């Protein structure tokens, strides 16, 4: 389920608050003359620059979310075959080092208008599952039926426990409004909404996420 705009704005305000406070804090130290050495001043300006960079990224993400929210009913006219989708996902920075199961051979394709947005959104959500346990090896289990491809991402144990469908025993909706993730998951939820992609966790194993991506045969 896509977040509503009130949730989007609340998350944006929450995510901006920390880097804004960092920027203000270092600038106050500088103005008050409490940074007395060139090294202290350099470190403070570098931290301020990094914090402002986070805010700039959040503003860019907000623009993307807004654009997607306004174009939610656009017909998906382009087609991407599964081998191309898998190759682009495997090359993504977010999924670097993950162990893949074999991608099923299928003549079907995924309907989209923005292949790069689609692959990036999938990668972002899979990485969020990996981030729940960064120490364990990360796995991507892939299966396909006539009408959908299912990707289950996470630690090997959590992937094994994850239901193969969003309505399986123990399946629960993924929380796409999470602190510390910027707006990337919210943006991905709007991409998924356009593509009719379903997501789910296991209620007892959060270090995994399932994605059901509809396929087309034309």
């Amino acid at each position: 389920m896509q977040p509503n705009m009130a949730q989007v704005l609340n998350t944006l305000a929450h995510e901006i608050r920390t880097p804004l406070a960092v920027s203000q804090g270092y600038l106050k130290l500088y103005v008050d003359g409490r940074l007395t050495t060139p090294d202290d001043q350099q470190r403070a300006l570098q931290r301020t620059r990094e914090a402002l960079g986070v805010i700039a990224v959040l503003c860019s993400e907000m623009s993307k979310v807004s654009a997607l929210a306004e174009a939610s009913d656009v017909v998906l006219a382009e087609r991407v075959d599964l081998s191309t989708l898998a190759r682009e996902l495997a090359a993504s920075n977010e999924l670097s080092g993950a162990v893949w199961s074999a991608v099923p051979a299928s003549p079907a394709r995924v309907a989209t208008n923005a292949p790069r947005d689609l692959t990036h959104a999938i990668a972002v959500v899979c990485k969020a599952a990996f981030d729940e346990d960064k120490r364990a090896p990360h796995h991507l289990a892939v299966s396909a039926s006539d009408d959908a491809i299912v990707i289950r991402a996470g630690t090997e144990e959590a992937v094994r426990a994850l239901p193969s469908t969003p309505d399986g025993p123990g399946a629960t909706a993924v929380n796409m409004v999470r602190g510390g993730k910027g707006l990337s998951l919210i943006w991905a939820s709007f991409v998924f909404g356009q593509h009719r992609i379903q997501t789910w966790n296991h209620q007892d194993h959060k270090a995994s996420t399932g994605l059901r991506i509809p396929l087309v045969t034309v």
Side-chain angles (χ1 to χ4, degrees):
M1 180 181 296
Q2 293 175 359
N4 59 44
M5 289 309 294
Q7 290 174 304
V8 173
L9 293 173
N10 184 59
T11 301
L12 178 64
H14 176 77
E15 296 290 337
I16 283 178
R17 192 173 294 120
T18 297
L20 184 59
V22 168
S23 301
Q24 290 173 326
Y26 278 116
L27 289 174
K28 186 176 189 303
L29 289 174
Y30 184 85
V31 171
D32 290 348
R34 297 174 63 183
L35 303 175
T36 57
T37 69
D39 285 346
D40 286 342
Q41 293 169 1
Q42 179 67 26
R43 281 192 292 269
L45 290 174
Q46 180 61 32
R47 298 291 186 274
T48 301
R49 180 181 180 183
E50 291 169 357
L52 293 174
V54 171
I55 294 174
V57 169
L58 288 167
C59 291
S60 175
E61 289 179 342
M62 185 63 205
S63 295
K64 292 177 182 178
V65 169
S66 179
L68 284 172
E70 293 175 0
S72 58
D73 297 326
V74 175
V75 175
L76 303 177
E78 191 172 342
R79 302 291 184 263
V80 176
D81 61 65
L82 294 187
S83 60
T84 298
L85 180 68
R87 184 170 60 250
E88 292 182 355
L89 284 171
S92 67
N93 293 331
E94 292 87 353
L95 304 185
S96 175
V99 177
W100 285 74
S101 68
V103 177
S106 172
R109 298 178 177 183
V110 177
T112 183
N113 288 329
R116 289 184 179 179
D117 281 357
L118 175 60
T119 54
H120 184 56
I122 293 171
V124 162
V125 173
C126 290
K127 183 180 183 300
F130 295 164
D131 287 346
E132 293 295 326
D133 189 344
K134 295 183 178 180
R135 299 165 298 175
H138 300 138
H139 289 258
L140 289 157
V142 185
S143 59
S145 62
D146 291 339
D147 61 350
I149 182 170
V150 171
I151 300 175
R152 291 179 294 160
T155 65
E156 185 174 13
E157 178 183 359
V159 166
R160 280 200 305 266
L162 185 67
S164 58
T165 63
D167 54 357
T172 186
V174 175
N175 177 15
M176 302 292 272
V177 185
R178 304 186 202 174
K181 297 294 183 182
L183 298 182
S184 59
L185 286 179
I186 290 178
W187 169 80
S189 75
F190 279 92
V191 175
F192 285 1
Q194 286 188 339
H195 293 81
R196 309 294 186 265
I197 295 174
Q198 297 173 280
T199 60
W200 65 98
N201 293 131
H202 191 286
Q203 60 187 11
D204 299 320
H205 298 271
K206 298 303 183 184
S208 62
T209 295
L211 297 86
R212 185 184 185 278
I213 306 167
L215 300 175
V216 294
T217 56
V218 294

